[in-house]
Amino acid sequence: LKGELADKSAEAARFRDAARRAEARVETAAQENLRLYERIRFLESYAQVPANASHPPSSLGEAEGKYRSLYEEQLNPFADFSRREKLRRYQDLNVAEKVMLNLSSVFLASKHARMGLLLYVLCLHALVFTALHSYSHARTCDRTRMA
């Protein structure tokens, strides 16, 4: 049994290593494709015919469109500045504020989470109102009984 466990854990380690290598290859390929797209855009800028005339938007492949958006995002200094500012502001928050920000983003991201939160708040309100009504009614009944 211990031998089988050792074999299975070694096999799991091999699979994890293979997955890491595959993820690294995918990341490397994406970076290479982005650099190639950058070179294509550079070469197209020297052509006599504008790039849009030689490649109408309807004929763009899915991959080229994906790398076009990545390339343009990389060139946009405002998006980069905005990303850095968001990161800086997030790092300036204390732990409680980070927890609240993350919880609120979870609840705001999902319709079902928002509905669940609404039902939870409504149930809490109903519980508090019922408890207050019951307490006040009991106090009133006690006063009338004593009188």
Side-chain angles (χ1 to χ4, degrees), residues 12-28:
R14 282 194 305 271
F15 283 132
R16 281 193 298 272
D17 290 340
R20 281 191 210 113
R21 285 193 304 271
E23 288 175 0
R25 282 194 305 255
V26 166
E27 183 64 31
T28 303

Side-chain angles (χ1 to χ4, degrees), residues 15-83:
F15 283 132
R16 281 193 298 272
D17 290 340
R20 281 191 210 113
R21 285 193 304 271
E23 288 175 0
R25 282 194 305 255
V26 166
E27 183 64 31
T28 303
Q31 290 174 355
E32 289 174 357
N33 287 343
L34 189 58
R35 284 194 299 267
L36 287 173
Y37 184 78
E38 185 176 0
R39 289 180 185 169
I40 288 170
R41 294 288 293 178
F42 177 75
L43 292 174
E44 283 180 349
S45 68
Y46 283 105
Q48 297 294 345
V49 181
N52 289 340
S54 64
H55 298 291
S58 61
S59 70
L60 290 177
E62 183 179 319
E64 187 176 351
K66 172 185 166 186
Y67 289 109
R68 171 178 289 197
S69 65
L70 286 174
Y71 171 73
E72 289 172 357
E73 180 182 313
Q74 185 182 25
L75 292 180
N76 188 353
F78 298 113
D80 186 42
F81 175 75
S82 175
R83 201 175 315 115

Side-chain angles (χ1 to χ4, degrees), residues 97-121:
E97 291 171 335
K98 285 181 183 179
V99 168
M100 287 303 295
L101 179 65
N102 290 332
L103 280 175
S104 64
S105 66
V106 165
F107 281 116
L108 292 175
S110 168
K111 178 182 179 182
H112 297 293
R114 288 190 303 268
M115 291 303 292
L117 183 64
L118 176 68
L119 289 174
Y120 176 73
V121 168

